[in-house]
Amino acid sequence: MNWLLSPGNGFARLRRGLLRGGRLYGAAGLLVLLAVRVWNPWPVEAERLRMADFYQQLLPRTSESSPVVIIDIDEQSLAELELQWPWPRTLIAEMIDKLAEAGVAAIAFDVVFAEPDRTSPSIVREYLPNLDDNLFELLGAMPSHDSKLAESFKDRKVVLGQTGLWQTENAAGLRHAERITPIAWIGEDPRRFLERYPGIVDNIDELDSQAAGRGMFSLAKEGDGVVRRVPSIYKVGDQLIPALSLELLRVRNLETSHVVWADQAGISNILAAGIRIPTDRRGRIWIRFADRNEERYVSAAEVIRGEAAPGRLAGKMALIGTSAAGLGDLQATPLGYTMPGVEIHAQLIETVLERSYLIRPNFALGVELTVIFLSGVLLLIVVPIVGARWTMPLLVMLIAAVAGASWYAFASKSVLIDASYPVVSAILTFVLLAYAGYASEERNKKHIRQAFGRYLSPVVVERLADNPGKLELGGEERLMSIMFADIRGFTTLSERFKDDPKGLTQLVNQFLTPMTDVVHQWNGTIDKYIGDCLMAFWNAPLDDEQHAANACQAALEMLAALEQVNRRLAANEPPAGDPGKEKLPETLDVPGGNAELSNVYPLQKVPGAPNLAAKRPNETRQPIRLKIGIGISTGECLVGNLGSEQRFDYSVLGDPVNFASRLEGQTKNYGVGILISETTRRLAREFAALELDRIVVKGKREAVGVYGLLGDSTRAETDNFRTLERLHGQMLAAYRGQRWHEARELLAACIEQDPSLEGLYLLYGARIDHYLLDPPEPNWDGVFLARTK
């Protein structure tokens, strides 16, 4: 708890930021959230619909018995009757007769008979060649199958289905508009709120003339393809057509019309079969779905064969449709699974008769906007006052209250009041307040960085910005890897630039920039720059279990990066990524007798210097080529804020630091670019490295092993390196055993194996020559005393 209240923790910073400027950003964000809800783009509406689906999945409608039976043209019926759809109308007429005999109250078709039956005799004869005239006339005189189906409609409550067309081209109008059930309205004209279908697929006149009603069975899918609402009224042209399900209810009850209530906000209710049904503003009825019940279904084949149990048909409304997958009438529902479109009409009828329909009142938007506004204002006022500890509990309580109220409205009143957007709005408002608070804190951090960044280590600056309370002296002991990297011959080089300090600065920057990038890439921390020298360390301030390996990998890549620098210098190019800088002078006059400078550390011509070429004809002009030495040591160090009370820096102290500096200095003696300590080698065994010597560096008394880092793990696995490692080990053993002639022979073999190490082996050759003339003590252990840094 003390941590939560401490001045430097994140919660405390959040509260300070909220008090300073969060309310302004929060208020602006709240207005945007309100505007988005009024605009109501599809993602917002989709989330609202998904929450309504979730409610229905948690609490679906339950029903012991259904007033509707579905006569299902299912896969079983298609297989048993061995007929493809559409069936002959005579077979459908037979099914109508069987349903009437079973005592169904009314029948509705979730299919449309838009064309004459092709199996009628008068049509079939057109496809039969070589018929004699008598048979041709006999087939033409036979009654059509459509007439038999129409005959089965007489004096029975049969409702034919129709479907809308969205295509505007060749859209057919109503062929039988005069027979459409009249729809009256009270208040505003409802037609301006309805979706308009350009055309319709109607039934042939022979059947339509005998039907007791007509209704559309087109389902209005939401943007995500789920059917949640079914239009109660359809608009085709200027004609209003009732839904198939409502028309079935009207026909069963022998009503003559439907009535619609509408106002300026939209449609609110429709009267069907004496039941006033609430709708949304566009006249759609929300269905309260129940889980699928196989008791609703009776196979069409069973009805035709007369095998359907009378108790499943008597007194019920029969909806004839299909569940066969091949007929393409499966629809996605809020319950998370598909069901045939005919069952959706059955569920709508059940919803209406049970008065269990969902209600999305026209004032729901106003309620939701009010909740969004009040919750946002509550957060804007209370969060900064109460404090950071109660910020999250307040948000959780607010979310719980909004969601609980929404669920209560659904579970007890079947009213749909959205909780998703108010909850998201509360969360976004809180996040915006938090962001504003942290943005204010970041402004303060930026001020601190600008004020102290030029004087203190970046690590210290970040810690000061995060928590000024931690700005005190102290450190901790860690096992760390330390690196020193230095340009060879920099003193001589700087003397040559004494008249051009800008050129020298540019050259050093070209060297240090890529070296720093490599260190950072391998999780290192730059401690300091000492002229041309770079000091870095690993495993602080962040933990790094691979600190030795990362330091070695960084050293290898620094050598590769140096080659890129040298190529740019040779081509006289500006530094990579900084084309605006001036180019360095191409060459520097170097006395030809100075082999070390001309071959190893070539310099540039100093602007304004006298032309020495006239005095020394043998002088050469060579491009700049930098070389570096890198030393890496691993051991226990003290790292932290080190310095004085007036000024300190985040740095590291310890014997490994001094040893790394000594190793860097010894690279020129051993002719290798990278020297690492024995501890570093032990922690980075996968790299290609050779033990070069055991030495006592200046300022030390104990002998330590030094290793030359030659490559990464890939090179360590090569046959060439393994052979070199074997020969080198044999050479060291012979050298330390004072077997000078054997050691000299192995030196030649080592040079042949890796000519790049010739300098190292020439060094050992010189030592052997010396010891041949002046042998060491018999108990000599091979340790070399390094008298220079």
Side-chain angles (χ1 to χ4, degrees):
M1 187 62 69
N2 291 334
W3 176 84
L4 286 173
L5 297 174
S6 64
N9 71 75
F11 283 103
R13 295 200 305 274
L14 169 61
R15 183 171 183 270
R16 292 198 302 269
L18 290 173
L19 290 171
R20 280 194 288 269
R23 284 196 179 101
L24 178 61
Y25 293 104
L30 180 58
L31 292 177
V32 172
L33 291 169
L34 289 169
V36 170
R37 179 60 190 89
V38 173
W39 175 32
N40 194 37
W42 167 245
V44 173
E45 183 176 0
E47 193 61 36
R48 181 170 66 253
L49 294 174
R50 279 192 288 269
M51 175 160 281
D53 295 348
F54 179 63
Y55 286 171
Q56 290 210 62
Q57 292 168 16
L58 291 178
L59 191 62
R61 178 175 55 83
T62 57
S63 169
E64 294 183 0
S65 62
S66 174
V68 183
V69 62
I70 298 172
I71 310 303
D72 190 11
I73 304 169
D74 55 4
E75 301 285 358
Q76 176 186 347
S77 299
L78 296 175
E80 289 186 8
L81 299 176
E82 298 181 351
L83 290 172
Q84 294 181 342
W85 183 261
W87 290 341
R89 305 281 161 83
T90 52
L91 189 61
I92 298 175
E94 182 180 350
M95 183 168 60
I96 297 296
D97 292 338
K98 294 289 179 64
L99 289 173
E101 292 171 6
V104 296
I107 302 170
F109 283 93
D110 188 38
V111 295
V112 62
F113 304 105
E115 298 175 350
D117 188 351
R118 296 179 182 178
T119 64
S120 293
S122 59
I123 297 178
V124 170
R125 68 177 185 173
E126 301 296 335
Y127 299 96
L128 297 176
N130 304 322
L131 286 178
D132 58 51
D133 294 340
N134 291 333
L135 183 55
F136 186 84
E137 292 178 3
L138 179 61
L139 291 174
M142 293 177 67
S144 69
H145 292 177
D146 293 309
S147 64
K148 291 184 178 182
L149 179 57
E151 185 68 24
S152 70
F153 290 174
K154 287 183 179 180
D155 301 324
R156 291 171 180 166
K157 299 176 182 178
V158 176
V159 178
L160 290 178
Q162 302 163 313
T163 184
L165 283 176
W166 285 109
Q167 295 86 352
T168 57
E169 295 181 2
N170 303 321
L174 280 169
R175 292 182 288 185
H176 318 296
E178 71 282 357
R179 299 182 188 135
I180 295 297
T181 301
I183 298 177
W185 63 79
I186 298 174
E188 297 291 324
D189 186 343
R191 286 177 292 190
R192 64 190 180 100
F193 302 108
L194 301 172
E195 288 187 1
R196 178 180 178 273
Y197 283 86
I200 190 173
V201 179
D202 207 350
N203 294 279
I204 63 174
D205 184 71
E206 190 170 4
L207 299 178
D208 187 86
S209 62
Q210 300 302 319
R214 299 140 201 89
M216 289 183 64
F217 55 77
S218 299
L219 296 174
K221 301 178 183 179
E222 309 288 351
D224 56 0
V226 178
V227 177
R228 301 178 179 90
R229 297 172 278 191
V230 175
S232 60
I233 311 170
Y234 297 80
K235 179 183 176 185
V236 179
D238 288 330
Q239 182 70 48
L240 299 182
I241 304 176
L244 179 69
S245 50
L246 300 189
E247 185 70 355
L248 179 59
L249 286 171
R250 181 195 68 81
V251 169
R252 186 199 66 166
N253 288 12
L254 299 177
E255 300 286 343
T256 58
S257 64
H258 302 284
V259 181
V260 178
W261 280 265
D263 54 26
Q264 291 293 333
I267 300 171
S268 59
N269 295 273
I270 183 170
L271 183 68
I275 304 173
R276 188 164 176 171
I277 307 166
T279 69
D280 66 7
R281 63 183 301 273
R282 294 169 60 186
R284 295 172 297 185
I285 302 173
W286 287 87
I287 303 176
R288 182 71 176 271
F289 281 89
D291 287 325
R292 188 169 185 181
N293 184 1
E294 295 298 332
E295 293 299 318
R296 292 191 185 97
Y297 287 82
V298 175
S299 175
E302 292 183 22
V303 174
I304 294 172
R305 293 196 307 264
E307 298 175 356
R312 299 184 64 185
L313 300 175
K316 295 190 176 183
M317 291 172 282
L319 276 168
I320 301 175
T322 177
S323 66
L327 299 182
D329 194 30
L330 297 178
Q331 308 293 337
T333 65
L335 299 184
Y337 53 81
T338 61
M339 64 176 58
V342 64
E343 183 177 351
I344 293 178
H345 292 291
Q347 296 243 16
L348 175 57
I349 294 173
E350 293 174 3
T351 298
V352 170
L353 293 180
E354 295 173 8
R355 310 301 202 272
S356 60
Y357 26 69
L358 299 176
I359 302 171
R360 171 75 179 172
N362 289 337
F363 60 79
L365 175 59
V367 172
E368 293 160 8
L369 291 175
T370 301
V371 171
I372 295 169
F373 177 77
L374 292 179
S375 61
V377 170
L378 181 64
L379 287 173
L380 288 172
I381 294 175
V382 177
V383 170
I385 296 176
V386 172
R389 285 185 301 169
W390 303 107
T391 298
M392 190 60 68
L394 173 64
L395 179 64
V396 172
M397 288 187 292
L398 190 60
I399 291 173
V402 173
S406 174
W407 171 253
Y408 175 79
F410 174 84
S412 62
K413 304 296 182 182
S414 295
V415 174
L416 293 173
I417 301 295
D418 179 43
S420 62
Y421 192 80
V423 166
V424 172
S425 298
I427 294 173
L428 291 178
T429 301
F430 171 78
V431 170
L432 188 58
L433 288 169
Y435 171 77
Y438 278 105
S440 178
E441 290 295 314
E442 286 300 317
R443 286 193 295 271
N444 292 334
K445 289 182 181 181
K446 183 177 180 180
H447 175 72
I448 293 175
R449 293 187 188 101
Q450 291 175 343
F452 298 102
R454 295 180 180 273
Y455 308 104
L456 302 179
S457 162
V459 176
V460 176
V461 173
E462 289 302 320
R463 289 195 173 190
L464 175 62
D466 288 338
N467 192 345
K470 292 185 178 180
L471 195 59
E472 57 185 24
L473 291 173
E476 59 177 329
E477 289 188 359
R478 280 177 177 254
L479 179 66
M480 302 177 63
S481 293
I482 314 299
M483 171 194 286
F484 277 81
D486 192 12
I487 297 178
R488 291 280 161 255
F490 185 74
T491 301
T492 304
L493 180 63
S494 60
E495 289 179 357
R496 296 291 179 172
F497 274 87
K498 63 182 180 180
D499 295 328
D500 185 17
K502 181 179 179 181
L504 180 62
T505 301
Q506 182 180 342
L507 180 64
V508 172
N509 290 344
Q510 289 195 48
F511 164 71
L512 290 178
T513 298
M515 302 300 108
T516 301
D517 290 340
V518 172
V519 169
H520 288 166
Q521 178 184 350
W522 289 98
N523 302 326
T525 298
I526 299 296
D527 184 288
K528 58 178 68 73
Y529 303 109
I530 311 170
D532 64 313
C533 178
L534 176 151
M535 175 183 171
F537 54 79
W538 277 259
N539 202 28
L542 301 178
D543 294 334
D544 183 4
E545 295 182 357
Q546 302 296 321
H547 55 89
N550 287 340
C552 291
Q553 190 65 47
L556 292 171
E557 294 196 13
M558 288 169 70
L559 292 182
L562 184 65
E563 289 302 314
Q564 297 289 339
V565 173
N566 283 327
R567 277 195 289 270
R568 288 196 297 271
L569 292 175
N572 197 25
E573 295 178 357
D578 194 2
K581 290 189 175 182
E582 297 178 2
K583 295 183 179 181
L584 291 170
E586 294 184 1
T587 58
L588 176 70
D589 293 334
V590 180
N594 192 339
E596 179 183 3
L597 289 180
S598 61
N599 295 328
V600 183
Y601 311 113
L603 305 178
Q604 300 182 32
K605 182 175 181 179
V606 179
N611 185 2
L612 302 180
K615 300 179 180 180
R616 296 173 181 167
N618 61 337
E619 289 178 350
T620 60
R621 297 171 63 86
Q622 299 182 8
I624 296 175
R625 182 172 179 80
L626 301 178
K627 288 190 176 182
I628 62 172
I630 300 175
I632 301 174
S633 175
T634 300
E636 292 289 336
C637 300
L638 179 69
V639 62
N641 296 326
L642 308 175
S644 65
E645 292 289 349
Q646 292 80 18
R647 179 174 177 176
F648 54 83
D649 201 354
Y650 190 82
S651 187
V652 59
L653 292 177
D655 185 66
V657 179
N658 299 326
F659 189 46
S661 176
R662 296 292 185 267
L663 289 177
E664 178 272 318
Q666 291 297 322
T667 56
K668 59 180 178 292
N669 296 328
Y670 289 95
V672 296
I674 307 170
L675 284 181
I676 63 176
S677 71
E678 194 169 3
T679 306
T680 305
R681 173 56 177 167
R682 187 168 61 251
L683 296 178
R685 298 295 303 176
E686 68 272 21
F687 287 83
L690 297 176
E691 181 185 4
L692 303 189
D693 208 349
R694 292 190 59 80
I695 64 173
V696 177
V697 298
K698 188 174 183 181
K700 291 285 185 178
R701 296 182 179 179
E702 297 181 359
V704 292
V706 295
Y707 290 75
L709 182 64
L710 305 182
D712 57 13
S713 58
T714 302
R715 184 178 179 184
E717 298 296 326
T718 62
D719 294 338
N720 177 272
F721 178 77
R722 289 176 177 175
T723 302
L724 174 64
E725 187 178 33
R726 177 177 55 80
L727 293 173
H728 183 84
Q730 294 173 355
M731 184 276 295
L732 279 183
Y735 171 78
R736 291 168 180 172
Q738 302 188 36
R739 301 190 300 274
W740 309 120
H741 296 291
E742 179 185 349
R744 180 176 288 282
E745 292 177 358
L746 288 169
L747 285 177
C750 290
I751 293 175
E752 183 179 355
Q753 191 67 29
D754 190 346
S756 66
L757 296 177
E758 182 178 8
L760 169 68
Y761 296 120
L762 290 178
L763 171 67
Y764 269 97
R767 289 184 185 179
I768 291 172
D769 291 342
H770 170 76
Y771 289 135
L772 284 172
L773 297 176
D774 186 11
E777 297 295 329
N779 60 348
W780 178 69
D781 58 2
V783 173
F784 178 77
L785 178 62
R787 302 183 183 278
T788 63
K789 296 183 179 182

